[in-house]
Amino acid sequence: MADLQVFVDRLTEVNAVMNLIGPDTLPDVWNRHFWDSAQLLDHAPEAAAWADLGAGAGFPGVVLSILLKGRPGANVWLIDSLAKRCRFLQSVVDELKLPATVINGRAEENAVKVDVVTARAVAPMDRLLGYAQPYLQRGARGLFLKGEKAEVEVADARRVWHFESHLSVSRSDSRGRIVSVRSLRRAR
């Protein structure tokens, strides 16, 4: 809990000068961002290696890294294309001594071998699967936090991709969904 509070403090401080999350979401940061991120561990409790695509403010990646701290072999790759966000993420990783690696680059160009690939608020499902394809093809399972239009996004993605999926109701917001994806290949 202490590490999570330090993360909230850093996020609040940096968010005042660099828009990482909507300022109106700060009062509900514990439910809207932290609990939303943490619930992913229940979907892959055995997973030690994670990749967070479009890591942004650190949701879900930094939260997962905090919760995995101390687990042998745990690491979360925080991948983001903007250097200023990566600097913020690296400062949090360094301060909290987290099992995380920050990568400044495009998600689809940095496919590390992981158990789970995740993303939150990055892109519609059809594009997100393109970013996640290299990870999924190397055996990762996808766990993507989506909003109330998740079913529509999955249906739209099926025009471009063939994949197995399962949708679970988010525990942080009953309108949200966690989309679990396996066996991805491009539709012909």
Side-chain angles (χ1 to χ4, degrees):
M1 288 302 291
D3 283 353
L4 290 171
Q5 186 58 56
V6 169
F7 181 35
V8 168
D9 295 344
R10 294 303 155 265
L11 181 65
T12 302
E13 176 185 306
V14 173
N15 205 59
V17 294
M18 181 172 71
N19 190 29
L20 294 168
I21 62 171
D24 58 321
T25 69
L26 275 171
D28 192 28
V29 71
W30 289 98
N31 184 60
R32 182 143 182 197
H33 298 293
F34 285 75
W35 175 230
D36 192 47
S37 299
Q39 69 180 320
L40 292 178
L41 284 178
D42 288 341
H43 291 268
E46 73 294 339
W50 294 70
D52 180 12
L53 310 184
F59 302 110
V62 169
V63 173
L64 294 170
S65 184
I66 290 169
L67 297 174
L68 290 168
K69 193 174 178 180
R71 183 187 285 190
N75 194 63
V76 179
W77 279 265
L78 304 167
I79 304 167
D80 200 278
S81 62
L82 285 181
K84 67 181 181 176
R85 288 194 298 238
C86 288
R87 284 190 297 275
F88 165 72
L89 293 169
Q90 190 65 59
S91 71
V92 172
V93 167
D94 292 345
E95 180 174 357
L96 298 176
K97 297 176 179 42
L98 297 177
T101 305
V102 178
I103 298 174
N104 181 204
R106 299 193 49 80
E108 64 276 22
E109 296 170 359
N110 289 284
V112 292
K113 177 84 169 107
V114 294
D115 303 314
V116 177
V117 60
T118 189
R120 179 176 185 256
V122 170
M125 201 71 191
D126 57 343
R127 280 192 306 166
L128 178 56
L129 290 175
Y131 303 151
Q133 181 183 18
Y135 305 85
L136 294 165
Q137 289 183 332
R138 296 182 77 190
R141 174 181 173 197
L143 288 176
F144 305 111
L145 292 158
K146 289 302 210 169
E148 58 191 317
K149 296 181 182 174
E151 289 87 355
V152 172
E153 285 192 38
V154 168
D156 288 347
R158 291 195 186 283
R159 295 182 194 146
V160 180
W161 304 99
H162 290 294
F163 56 95
E164 296 173 24
S165 66
H166 174 76
L167 277 69
S168 303
V169 176
S170 170
R171 286 194 244 148
S172 64
D173 183 341
S174 62
R175 296 168 298 175
R177 298 291 180 267
I178 297 169
V179 182
S180 176
V181 174
R182 291 189 185 271
S183 304
L184 179 73
R185 62 185 172 79
R186 191 169 282 282
R188 298 197 194 268

